[in-house]
Amino acid sequence: MRILSQFFAAPVLAFAGLLLLLAAPASAHDPEWSIAIHGGAGTMSPERMDAETRAEYEAALQAALDAGSKVLAEGGTAMDAVVAAITLMEDDPKFNAGRGAVFTWDGVNEHDASIMDGRTRDAGASTGTRNVRHPILLARAVMEDSPHVFLSREGAEQFAAEQGLELVDPAWFGTDGRREALDRYKAAQMEEQGMSQLAIDTKFGTVGAVARDSNGNLAAGTSTGGMTGKRWGRIGDSPIIGSGTYADNRACAVSATGWGEYFIRTNVAAEICARMRMKGESAKVAGEAVIAEMGALGGNGGVIVAGANGDLAFAFDTTGMYRGRADSEGLNEVAIFAGEDGGEDD
Ligand code: ASP
């Protein structure tokens, strides 16, 4: 009898162990809150970035990450954390959003932004504004204080004024470096070298954030000046809900950066959430699959993804993406070049 029970005990224990394993959460740790940010993807190499510049970018990323983390650690909402991180980067001339935005063909700065609340799937966006200091706040106001989702140009500016958002002289946004990039782009076009916008400004510099708060709510936001030399009222993916930004508590929150035309055609942000929701893919797997699909069409860029369980993932097909992530479990890192992340738990 004893022999018989021992004979049965081993497989029963093994089966119970397997059940426990299957019931365990997919992630190694389920953080109470988590946040990821990006400051654009593009062609960049450690050899071509001096130590001082690198330190400046890392400090700027850390500051934005800290601002968002603070909100979440104090029990604030994912929406407030996303806004806290993005508004800091919009004021930083190193990034292509707010101050430091790229110039259009006509030599002005035109801003695009969008935001989405994963709890309600409420969303707001604006495009082509020239005098709103924080386009991400305008996107949020569109979401919260208008019956619409997407406003453009003069109308969006008028709405911003009515909402009491801060308006600035358009000169506030311009930097010498971005103007030189426009000059180079125009010169190349004049010489009919057919040089692409990417060859001129090889890093995108758009900013974005995704977060999950302690109530399990997700939010995502993105803000950009677009691409150097854009004209004819060109709109990229950043202000388009589903392409540049998406959030859905059932699956994930995504913010994208890259060659907007390709991100629009592959509906990158919503596609990642759809794969996670319907195929059960992780943030990392879904992000990489959709970036590969977008890249196969000829585009490039990257995404930050927060899963409903608080997982954070980066996926990009460029040589770098300014990025950072933090969570309530002590994860806290910023990185620039490919392969640099310490905690590859995603
Ligand atoms: N995605 C942006 C656009 O196409 C550019 C960027 O990410 O920097 O407008």
Side-chain angles (χ1 to χ4, degrees), residues 96 112 204-206 224-227 234 236-238 256-261:
N96 170 22
D112 296 340
F204 297 107
T206 289
T224 188
M227 288 173 84
R234 180 263 187 193
D237 61 309
S238 308
T257 172
W259 196 343
E261 280 67 12

Side-chain angles (χ1 to χ4, degrees), residues 39-326:
T43 307
M44 33 183 125
S45 68
E47 299 79 42
R48 282 179 29 215
M49 184 178 282
D50 61 63
E52 197 184 324
T53 308
R54 185 181 175 137
E56 282 172 14
Y57 272 100
E58 286 173 348
L61 290 167
Q62 190 67 57
L65 192 60
D66 289 348
S69 298
K70 184 169 184 288
V71 171
L72 295 167
E74 289 172 357
T77 64
M79 180 59 59
D80 285 342
V82 160
V83 167
I86 292 179
T87 48
L88 263 193
M89 291 192 280
E90 284 180 334
D91 271 351
D92 191 325
K94 284 190 281 304
F95 301 110
N96 170 22
R99 193 172 194 200
V102 298
F103 281 90
T104 66
W105 183 264
D106 296 326
V108 295
N109 307 108
E110 291 183 350
H111 309 270
D112 296 340
S114 64
I115 201 158
M116 189 160 181
D117 186 336
R119 186 174 62 89
T120 53
R121 274 176 283 155
D122 281 338
S126 62
T127 181
T129 58
R130 297 181 177 187
N131 64 355
V132 179
R133 177 170 174 178
H134 289 295
I136 197 69
L137 295 182
L138 172 54
R140 185 172 186 172
V142 172
M143 175 176 76
E144 292 178 347
D145 301 314
S146 90
H148 307 299
V149 167
F150 200 1
L151 299 182
S152 71
R153 307 181 82 83
E154 292 83 2
E157 290 173 354
Q158 189 188 331
F159 175 74
E162 287 171 14
Q163 289 297 312
L165 295 181
E166 187 178 354
L167 306 181
V168 289
D169 185 319
W172 159 259
F173 300 110
T175 64
D176 292 344
R178 297 296 191 188
R179 193 169 277 287
E180 283 157 22
L182 174 65
D183 292 343
R184 287 201 304 279
Y185 177 62
K186 282 190 156 183
Q189 292 289 305
M190 298 303 178
E191 286 169 28
E192 291 186 57
Q193 289 173 356
M195 195 176 278
S196 80
Q197 286 160 297
L198 298 179
I200 296 297
D201 226 6
T202 49
K203 50 183 184 351
F204 297 107
T206 289
V207 306
V210 295
R212 178 192 184 274
D213 61 34
S214 47
N215 287 319
N217 291 320
L218 297 171
T222 311
S223 181
T224 188
M227 288 173 84
T228 299
K230 66 182 182 180
R231 49 181 155 166
W232 309 305
R234 180 263 187 193
I235 301 169
D237 61 309
S238 308
I240 298 181
I241 297 300
S243 299
T245 301
Y246 203 73
D248 178 347
N249 272 11
R250 295 173 300 174
C252 73
V254 180
S255 171
T257 172
W259 196 343
E261 280 67 12
Y262 291 89
F263 280 68
I264 294 171
R265 288 167 56 196
T266 36
N267 203 31
V268 165
E271 184 75 359
I272 291 171
C273 288
R275 289 181 78 114
M276 291 178 69
R277 184 163 59 87
M278 293 189 277
K279 295 183 82 182
E281 289 179 352
S282 70
K284 186 75 173 174
V285 168
E288 287 187 339
V290 177
I291 288 298
E293 215 179 285
M294 179 278 308
L297 296 185
N300 60 354
V303 286
I304 52 174
V305 187
N309 61 357
D311 264 2
L312 299 171
F314 303 119
F316 52 98
D317 63 1
T318 46
T319 52
M321 179 165 82
Y322 297 111
R323 61 197 186 278
R325 58 182 173 178

